[in-house]
Amino acid sequence: MITSQTNAQIKAVIRLQKSAKERRKQKLFVAEGIKLVTEAASYGKLHKLYVSETMWEEEVKDDVFGGCGYDVVADKVFASMSETVTPQGVLGLVRMPGYELETILADQNRSILLLDDLRDPGNLGTIMRTAEGAGMSGVILSRESVDLFNPKVVRSTMGAIFRVPFYYAEDLAEVI
């Protein structure tokens, strides 16, 4: 069990939570909560799992998360690595999905959502969910838009981040 906030793994998770540059460098992001972590596992994207001491004692089952190895973390330490006010006790490091522009454009019945300079993380997550519900082929964002793997965005996508293709365009006008 990990009991120290100075543990290298805990520090690495906190860096991923706080830094878009670190997320891009490692090609990993943090997913919090049972739903998101289970979804990441179902898409084969779950890299590493952390479970709070309380959650582990109460209900974690090895097969729920696709057999991904996990570390148990003391509740106080888990709270320090979580971005949510009341964490569910499950946090996963997830490999970033990625798409090419050609993949999104290849859909014969394509309907694409274009987002220019979107800054609010909660709005982007909601838009991704809406794009999924509306059956969009994909979402193309300008490079200046908020990071899709920002913890608040990830939570607000409610899993759509795994199902809606996306692409960050260097020059959105050129893509249009």
Side-chain angles (χ1 to χ4, degrees):
M1 179 180 333
I2 299 174
T3 58
S4 172
Q5 293 179 5
T6 60
N7 178 288
Q9 290 184 71
I10 303 307
K11 286 181 174 182
V13 170
I14 292 170
R15 277 194 308 275
L16 285 171
Q17 290 275 42
K18 296 190 181 309
S19 170
K21 184 177 179 182
E22 189 68 23
R23 290 189 291 270
R24 284 190 301 271
K25 178 181 164 189
Q26 292 192 38
K27 297 187 183 337
L28 292 172
F29 68 97
V30 177
E32 291 191 54
I34 295 168
K35 180 189 181 333
L36 275 174
V37 171
T38 303
E39 193 136 359
S42 74
Y43 283 93
K45 297 289 186 184
L46 189 58
H47 174 71
K48 175 78 179 186
L49 183 64
Y50 296 94
V51 179
S52 72
E53 182 178 12
T54 300
M55 175 62 89
W56 181 72
E57 290 172 353
E58 290 178 7
E59 52 185 282
V60 77
K61 306 284 186 278
D62 289 341
D63 60 341
V64 171
F65 303 109
C68 182
Y70 62 89
D71 283 322
V72 178
V73 180
D75 289 339
K76 185 175 181 179
V77 176
F78 192 91
S80 74
M81 62 195 277
S82 173
E83 287 278 314
T84 57
V85 177
T86 53
Q88 292 181 15
V90 177
L91 184 147
L93 298 185
V94 181
R95 289 182 289 281
M96 289 181 173
Y99 303 90
E100 297 297 323
L101 179 60
E102 293 75 26
T103 304
I104 296 171
L105 297 177
D107 185 344
Q108 295 293 352
N109 299 317
R110 67 181 166 263
S111 51
I112 300 167
L113 186 59
L114 302 170
L115 303 175
D116 186 23
D117 201 20
L118 187 66
R119 298 294 178 153
D120 186 271
N123 286 351
L124 178 53
T126 301
I127 289 169
M128 291 295 287
R129 285 195 333 263
T130 303
E132 179 183 24
M136 302 302 281
S137 306
V139 175
I140 300 175
L141 304 101
S142 65
R143 183 57 60 196
E144 299 80 26
S145 292
V146 66
D147 177 23
L148 185 60
F149 302 104
N150 171 303
K152 186 173 182 180
V153 176
V154 171
R155 282 192 309 274
S156 63
T157 68
M158 298 182 70
I161 195 168
F162 300 113
R163 297 181 296 272
V164 177
F166 59 88
Y167 180 79
Y168 277 91
E170 290 297 328
D171 184 346
L172 191 58
E174 184 179 308
V175 170
I176 293 169

